[in-house]
Amino acid sequence: MSGDSVSMKTIDLRSDTITQPTDEMIEAIVKAHKSGRFGDDVIGEDEVVNELQEKAAKILGKEAALLVTSGTQGNLISLCSQTSRGDEVVVEKQSHTFMFEAGSMASIGGLYPKPVEGVRGYILPETLESVISPDDAHYARTRMVVCENTHNYAGGTVTRPEQIKALASVAHDHDLKVHCDGARLFNASVALGIPARKLVEDVDSVQICLSKGLSAPVGSIIAGSTEFIHAAHRTRKKLGGGMRQAGIIAAPGIVALEKMVDRLNEDHENAKLLYESIKDIPNLVIEKPETNILFLGLQNLNINQMQLAEELAKENIRVYGGYGVRTRMVTNRMVQRDDIDHVVTVLRRLLK
Ligand SMILES: Cc1ncc(COP(=O)(O)O)c(C=O)c1O
């Protein structure tokens, strides 16, 4: 070995979106290209996209599925394809659709969000029932409710099938559609040890991200009835989401669905290990993670979020500094168990 200093690995806990595609994903792109399977997906001629959509529909137990560019686009298409402008959509007040999608449901969809308080991200059926507007000319028509599973801002919390059934039952009794923002649906399914389709049996539409813990470089899937996907196809086109040789995205997406789901458990184990190793730090506000997201509340400590992010960066650990009033850490495929040991050592020193 030369005497050069060995550069230290960066441990990136900002998000599971930082995951790099696997070699197998890149090989799948090359293989599909060499066998001439790419085509113009706007006219439905990309064989790889068609394969991904069929596979995703089957996994999710839905009639049909559609590849979209991102989670945000998938949510927006799902909302807009099942409502009309001026309709009201009930959302959890810390949900991604409400807080982090640039207000697109209002600005682009013309939809009126009605935010309600959830319990660990879950909208209680009685809460939904109490906010559905009466059929009176003074009110916007309440047409939809959005649930998020796992729920990002609540800390990667899992909603169980019976909870979704109870919420959907109230929604359907009042003629509301139910959309599931399942950006991390597979984290919920792995945490509960049940197939993903069990979590979306009672919803009308679902969006799943291929590009988060599943490590694909780009893309999300939306799924639901054939009628919904037919409408969603037009909405995607309107939003500029029609893509040409999109098999380049779909090929890694297929690998993501086939090979990357079960390993999410490693991310969950690493999040638990991190929690168990720092939970006794005095004055740290922390809850046991159900999946791969952990929030640290620093309000009672002598360091704020920005300072913590800066100090961690000096030790090659990356977290977002300005994420609300808490520090979020998201375990992912690029972070190994040994890395967690290093993070624990540094955190214990900084959070004294
Ligand atoms: C719960 C949830 N929904 C939707 C999205 C949006 O996905 P994208 O970043 O692909 O638009 C995210 C992204 O982090 C998310 O965490």
Side-chain angles (χ1 to χ4, degrees), residues 15-17 69-75 95-97 100-101 148-153 181-184 207 209 211-212 219-220 293 323 328:
S15 177
D16 43 11
T17 55
T69 59
S70 67
T72 301
Q73 191 188 58
N75 286 335
S95 63
H96 202 277
T97 35
F100 301 119
E101 297 185 3
E148 185 175 312
N149 200 10
T150 63
H151 193 291
N152 167 32
Y153 211 78
D181 174 358
R184 296 185 181 82
Q207 179 277 121
C209 286
S211 66
K212 297 198 164 65
S220 276
I293 301 178
Y323 202 95
R328 188 181 74 154

Side-chain angles (χ1 to χ4, degrees), residues 59-100:
I59 291 171
L60 295 167
K62 297 293 180 195
E63 285 174 2
L66 188 70
L67 175 66
V68 296
T69 59
S70 67
T72 301
Q73 191 188 58
N75 286 335
L76 183 59
I77 292 173
S78 301
L79 268 54
C80 292
S81 304
Q82 300 179 91
T83 53
S84 303
R85 293 182 73 80
D87 285 350
E88 181 175 87
V89 177
V90 179
V91 287
E92 203 280 325
K93 75 174 200 192
Q94 294 190 317
S95 63
H96 202 277
T97 35
F98 181 55
M99 277 176 66
F100 301 119

Side-chain angles (χ1 to χ4, degrees), residues 36-254:
R37 299 186 68 216
F38 297 152
D40 186 343
D41 179 51
V42 169
I43 49 174
E45 288 185 357
D46 191 296
E47 287 175 25
V48 191
V49 172
N50 293 340
E51 183 188 333
L52 170 65
Q53 291 174 165
E54 277 160 33
K55 186 175 282 291
K58 203 161 167 202
I59 291 171
L60 295 167
K62 297 293 180 195
E63 285 174 2
L66 188 70
L67 175 66
V68 296
T69 59
S70 67
T72 301
Q73 191 188 58
N75 286 335
L76 183 59
I77 292 173
S78 301
L79 268 54
C80 292
S81 304
Q82 300 179 91
T83 53
S84 303
R85 293 182 73 80
D87 285 350
E88 181 175 87
V89 177
V90 179
V91 287
E92 203 280 325
K93 75 174 200 192
Q94 294 190 317
S95 63
H96 202 277
T97 35
F98 181 55
M99 277 176 66
F100 301 119
E101 297 185 3
S104 57
M105 79 166 82
S107 61
I108 299 176
L111 297 169
Y112 178 58
K114 187 179 250 183
V116 297
E117 180 109 39
V119 178
R120 291 174 67 76
Y122 171 62
I123 301 174
L124 293 172
E126 52 269 35
T127 305
L128 174 64
E129 188 136 44
S130 71
V131 299
I132 295 172
S133 298
D135 185 9
D136 173 314
H138 291 86
Y139 300 99
R141 295 185 318 159
T142 317
R143 301 299 294 150
M144 191 179 231
V145 59
V146 179
C147 54
E148 185 175 312
N149 200 10
T150 63
H151 193 291
N152 167 32
Y153 211 78
T157 49
V158 173
T159 304
R160 308 178 72 86
E162 57 274 20
Q163 294 176 295
I164 299 161
K165 187 178 272 312
L167 181 70
S169 159
V170 170
H172 291 148
D173 282 351
H174 292 270
D175 269 340
L176 268 62
K177 296 283 185 192
V178 183
H179 173 65
C180 173
D181 174 358
R184 296 185 181 82
L185 188 76
F186 291 101
N187 292 87
S189 100
V190 166
L192 292 172
I194 58 172
R197 64 172 188 284
K198 292 267 173 214
L199 291 163
V200 292
E201 259 172 2
D202 297 292
V203 307
D204 301 285
S205 57
V206 54
Q207 179 277 121
I208 56 154
C209 286
L210 302 166
S211 66
K212 297 198 164 65
L214 300 186
S215 302
V218 189
S220 276
I221 290 282
I222 53 176
S225 66
T226 311
E227 195 188 351
F228 160 65
I229 291 298
H230 181 73
H233 211 276
R234 175 170 283 113
T235 314
R236 185 184 71 172
K237 188 73 188 140
K238 275 192 217 170
L239 294 173
M243 296 176 281
R244 304 298 178 188
Q245 285 71 42
I248 286 185
I249 297 172
I254 292 170

